[in-house]
Amino acid sequence: MKIAMTIKTFDEQGVLDEITKKLSSMNLNIVYTHLYLEKNNFGSINLELENVEDVEYVVKTLKHLEFIKSIEVHNSLIDIYGKRIIIIGGGVQVSQVAAGAITEADRHNLRGERISVDTIPLVGEKEISDAINAITRLPRVRALVLAGSIMGGEISNAVRKIKKEQNINIISLNMVGSAKNEADIIVTDPTQAGVMAVMSIADTAELDINKIKNIRF
């Protein structure tokens, strides 16, 4: 069984190390973790665990650690926010793609899906390539939309890299530059690109991106 939990701790050195050792001693596997500092010298650690047989035992065992303030068991991020679409590029193009993606995601989410849409308008080859490379460090990403008027060079290299490392659908606007050639599909209309990004990852849709790869729309 998989579970997710948030552990509130006092901000002390070695806290995360002690928690992971304790979880490892119970033969639990950590599939996701995120740590951040809160006010008043407290820390918050979000964990998603698998191979859990007895949730109460796990919580009780962790609470024996003196630096832990509280533990909350809750749904995972994939259960709450679901699959994630990232839209990167110029402001106007990003907003138009987002309009299509959000409208289409709303339609599928009403039918039981969980799809969230993230956007970041950026200018500059380095800035955009850095953002694309960082996608490999983000959870839940299932699709990337390249929404700009010109992308190439290091951006193309970044797209090629994440395609090798992660199972992510790549949708590109029909723009100037070589980056679009790394995409699974190329779409001229920004709104349609957003719609197709959602349909390519939605279980409630009938679009199979593998059947339309390398086609321009």
Side-chain angles (χ1 to χ4, degrees):
M1 179 175 65
K2 290 184 179 180
I3 67 168
M5 62 172 59
T6 297
I7 303 174
K8 304 283 187 179
T9 73
F10 295 102
D11 181 21
E12 299 177 4
Q13 186 175 357
V15 166
L16 183 60
D17 183 52
E18 289 298 318
I19 291 174
T20 55
K21 284 180 180 178
K22 185 64 69 175
L23 293 172
S24 178
S25 70
M26 292 184 279
N27 296 318
L28 303 179
N29 186 36
I30 301 172
V31 295
Y32 173 80
T33 182
H34 177 68
L35 183 151
Y36 56 94
L37 294 179
E38 298 180 344
K39 296 179 180 178
N40 303 319
N41 294 321
F42 288 114
S44 184
I45 304 172
N46 293 329
L47 294 168
E48 295 185 13
L49 310 171
E50 61 181 10
N51 302 331
V52 179
E53 296 181 359
D54 189 334
V55 178
E56 291 185 2
Y57 174 74
V58 173
V59 173
K60 183 179 179 180
T61 303
L62 289 175
K63 282 186 173 179
H64 285 152
L65 298 173
E66 60 182 14
F67 50 76
I68 289 183
K69 181 184 177 185
S70 66
I71 298 176
E72 177 189 359
V73 178
H74 49 72
N75 291 334
S76 68
L77 290 176
I78 192 70
D79 291 332
I80 299 171
Y81 286 103
K83 305 162 190 172
R84 191 177 190 181
I85 295 172
I86 307 291
I87 306 169
I88 296 176
V92 173
Q93 291 93 337
V94 164
S95 64
Q96 290 178 325
V97 173
I102 292 170
T103 301
E104 185 68 12
D106 181 63
R107 189 169 72 88
H108 290 280
N109 289 348
L110 287 172
R111 296 157 62 189
E113 277 279 1
R114 285 291 185 273
I115 297 175
S116 57
V117 180
D118 292 338
T119 65
I120 179 166
L122 288 172
V123 176
E125 181 179 346
K126 183 180 185 305
E127 289 76 7
I128 294 174
S129 61
D130 284 348
I132 293 172
N133 282 319
I135 286 175
T136 59
R137 303 190 292 273
L138 294 175
R140 304 180 295 105
V141 179
R142 297 294 183 271
L144 165 67
V145 184
L146 304 176
S149 55
I150 178 170
M151 291 187 187
E154 289 303 315
I155 299 173
S156 301
N157 294 335
V159 176
R160 196 177 303 118
K161 180 174 181 287
I162 67 168
K163 285 178 67 177
K164 290 180 180 180
E165 296 181 0
Q166 294 196 2
N167 184 24
I168 297 177
N169 295 337
I170 311 292
I171 294 90
S172 174
L173 296 186
N174 191 13
M175 67 180 88
V176 176
S178 61
K180 66 179 181 294
N181 298 324
E182 302 297 332
D184 295 309
I185 56 175
I186 302 172
V187 185
T188 300
D189 180 77
T191 303
Q192 184 184 7
V195 171
M196 295 185 74
V198 172
M199 293 184 67
S200 74
I201 65 172
D203 293 332
T204 50
E206 296 182 0
L207 175 66
D208 185 351
I209 196 171
N210 293 312
K211 294 182 179 180
I212 59 173
K213 279 187 175 182
N214 303 317
I215 296 178
R216 299 193 182 198
F217 294 90

